Amino acid sequence: MKILMISTLNLSLPNGGTVHFTSIAKEFRLAGHTVDAIIPSTGDSHQNQLIADKFFDNVTFTPSLTRIIPVGKTSLNSLAQILTILGQRADRYDWVYLRSSIISALSVAALRIKGFRHIVTEQNGWFADELVQMGVSRPWLDVIKYMQLLDARLATFVITVVEGIKEKLIEHGLPQEKVLVAGNGTDPKIFYPLPRQEILQKYKLDPTYFYLGLIGDLERWKGAELAIQAMPIICEVYPQAKLLVVGSGRQLGYLQETYRDLECVSFMNEVPYEQSNEYINCFDIALLPLLEFSNIGFSPIKLYAYAASGKPILSSNFRGVRELESQGFITLHENGNYRDLANQAIAMISNPDQLEIMGKTARNYAEKNFTWEEIASKILQRMCHV
């Protein structure tokens, strides 16, 4: 098949969205399909070329409106892509794969106007719930919900990462058979266990300490502050415990200023995606303290990276993760409760043999269940049966 992939993301930035999109593109090509793309320019011709060569057969780069209008939402890039979409020939492609955004319904409508028959849209969240966390209120939330539903209705079928998004779409009238829950994944060849002593030495970390850690965007709902608040309790029992906070984001400055006197916390700032595995391997326990703000659940890519790296995981108890607790590599703590996080961490630290078993179990489970190959295969099978 020949597939046209469309995204509003800057694919040079290391985050869950770009990893998901490029990993699916890579797997489509490995399966023997031709993959072209319409994506925003990074603003750097060399970087553009690297992305084109690595993930796609042909790429059309469109202007990045978020570089011109610094509002922080890549959704605006849909507006810059509509003219490019209208310039495409429908008979050149068997399928269009579009990563949805707040206004991506406009792009799907443009594809329909041009006569594209087979369109799959990838919806990774319930946008109205997410934007409430950013202070957006009605009537804008009603408009955003309408646009997300229009995106789904115009598509041939919709991919979601969690059951909760599927349930929301069905609740608003979308036929059940039109939604495929494909999940998220990871690449066990990129994320894998490394010798603890060597990796701690490389990053000048004292091997006599016990390291809890988290990695990713530092947004309020990601729960980094919860982990920081738990550390004094943990250190009362285990003074050699330390928290590694790897990443950047809107909360970084606030966290650094508020907790600058807390010696048991180290901020390591953002790291290149290629080095993520090394930093994760510095963790003795990987943390996922997300603050649940929606009942749809989460499917965080870092969960799968942690598991593939062979790390025992301590996570808040939310839909999408609690279903994995029985597999033996995840311990849950009460949502939003830093004291329970601390108590669960203390219990885990107290049992090093069990931590070792959890790490090995995580790696084995990831190799069998969390690969991008498996995710892409589900999508391709659905495409072939339409």
Side-chain angles (χ1 to χ4, degrees):
M1 289 190 293
K2 191 165 186 182
I3 303 169
L4 175 63
M5 297 187 70
I6 303 174
S7 173
T8 61
L9 299 174
N10 178 344
L11 298 187
S12 69
L13 300 179
N15 58 53
T18 61
V19 170
H20 187 117
F21 189 79
T22 55
S23 297
I24 294 296
K26 180 181 175 182
E27 292 299 333
F28 282 172
R29 294 180 76 198
L30 288 173
H33 305 287
T34 299
V35 179
D36 293 351
I38 298 174
I39 52 177
S41 171
T42 65
D44 182 322
S45 58
H46 177 66
Q47 191 70 253
N48 285 352
Q49 192 61 52
L50 288 176
I51 291 168
D53 293 344
K54 188 173 183 179
F55 300 113
F56 307 105
D57 292 288
N58 292 287
V59 177
T60 300
F61 288 100
T62 54
S64 174
L65 294 185
T66 51
R67 294 179 59 247
I68 301 169
I69 310 170
V71 297
K73 290 305 296 179
T74 61
S75 305
L76 280 177
N77 292 327
S78 290
L79 299 175
Q81 293 176 336
I82 289 174
L83 285 178
T84 301
I85 289 170
L86 291 173
Q88 302 297 310
R89 286 174 43 193
D91 60 359
R92 291 188 60 213
Y93 296 100
D94 301 294
W95 276 92
V96 176
Y97 181 105
L98 182 143
R99 180 181 171 89
S100 297
S101 67
I102 295 171
I103 57 173
S104 59
L106 300 176
S107 298
V108 186
L111 289 164
R112 289 301 188 194
I113 289 169
K114 286 295 295 182
F116 285 87
R117 293 179 59 238
H118 296 137
I119 304 167
V120 54
T121 61
E122 171 201 309
Q123 296 199 0
N124 288 310
W126 194 249
F127 301 138
D129 286 354
E130 294 174 7
L131 291 171
V132 165
Q133 304 302 305
M134 301 177 186
V136 177
S137 58
R138 289 183 173 175
W140 292 111
L141 293 177
D142 294 328
V143 173
I144 290 161
K145 184 190 296 183
Y146 173 82
M147 292 295 284
Q148 181 162 4
L149 292 170
L150 181 61
D151 173 295
R153 289 167 182 150
L154 289 172
T156 308
F157 73 94
V158 179
I159 297 165
T160 70
V161 293
V162 292
E163 285 284 346
I165 302 173
K166 178 178 180 178
E167 291 167 4
K168 285 274 192 181
L169 292 170
I170 293 170
E171 178 187 326
H172 288 86
L174 207 68
Q176 180 172 336
E177 62 274 11
K178 196 172 178 177
V179 188
L180 170 68
V181 181
N184 261 325
T186 192
D187 187 341
K189 295 178 182 175
I190 294 176
F191 294 96
Y192 53 89
L194 292 169
R196 182 181 191 272
Q197 196 78 13
E198 292 179 18
I199 204 65
L200 293 181
Q201 183 178 8
K202 178 174 181 177
Y203 290 103
K204 297 180 172 57
L205 294 171
D206 186 342
T208 64
Y209 275 77
F210 186 98
Y211 295 101
L212 299 96
L214 55 86
I215 190 169
D217 296 332
L218 298 179
E219 300 290 344
R220 189 195 68 81
W221 64 273
K222 297 292 183 72
E225 186 167 23
L226 197 74
I228 294 170
Q229 291 169 336
M231 287 308 297
I233 300 173
I234 296 170
C235 290
E236 285 180 8
V237 181
Y238 290 103
Q240 293 295 95
K242 198 160 209 175
L243 175 66
L244 305 179
V245 180
V246 184
S248 64
R250 283 179 286 194
Q251 262 217 319
L252 177 59
Y254 160 77
L255 293 173
Q256 288 177 320
E257 176 64 23
T258 305
Y259 299 101
R260 64 181 183 273
D261 297 328
L262 209 54
E263 294 183 0
C264 58
V265 178
S266 291
F267 292 94
M268 306 183 80
N269 297 324
E270 188 176 64
V271 299
Y273 179 71
E274 295 75 16
Q275 290 179 269
S276 297
N277 182 57
E278 293 185 346
Y279 279 84
I280 291 172
N281 269 278
C282 294
F283 306 163
D284 295 303
I285 295 176
L287 301 179
L288 200 61
L290 301 185
L291 305 177
E292 191 169 29
F293 58 80
S294 170
N295 61 3
I296 67 168
F298 298 106
S299 180
I301 281 182
K302 71 182 74 176
L303 164 69
Y304 308 105
Y306 288 163
S309 298
K311 295 295 146 188
I313 299 168
L314 176 56
S315 172
S316 51
N317 184 355
F318 56 85
R319 188 179 182 188
V321 171
R322 70 172 66 103
E323 294 83 352
L324 294 169
E325 184 186 19
S326 62
Q327 300 303 324
F329 59 89
I330 294 177
T331 295
L332 301 177
H333 66 81
E334 184 180 334
N335 289 331
N337 188 333
Y338 70 87
R339 294 185 183 278
D340 192 48
L341 190 162
N343 290 335
Q344 296 297 336
I346 289 167
M348 292 175 76
I349 297 170
S350 301
N351 196 341
D353 291 341
Q354 182 61 27
L355 285 180
E356 184 176 354
I357 292 170
M358 289 177 72
K360 290 178 180 177
T361 302
R363 174 64 185 180
N364 290 336
Y365 193 85
E367 287 181 308
K368 294 174 183 175
N369 300 279
F370 290 161
T371 66
W372 288 116
E373 181 182 5
E374 180 186 2
I375 307 302
S377 177
K378 291 180 188 177
I379 299 167
L380 290 169
Q381 286 179 26
R382 184 64 174 268
M383 287 176 169
C384 291
H385 287 90
V386 170

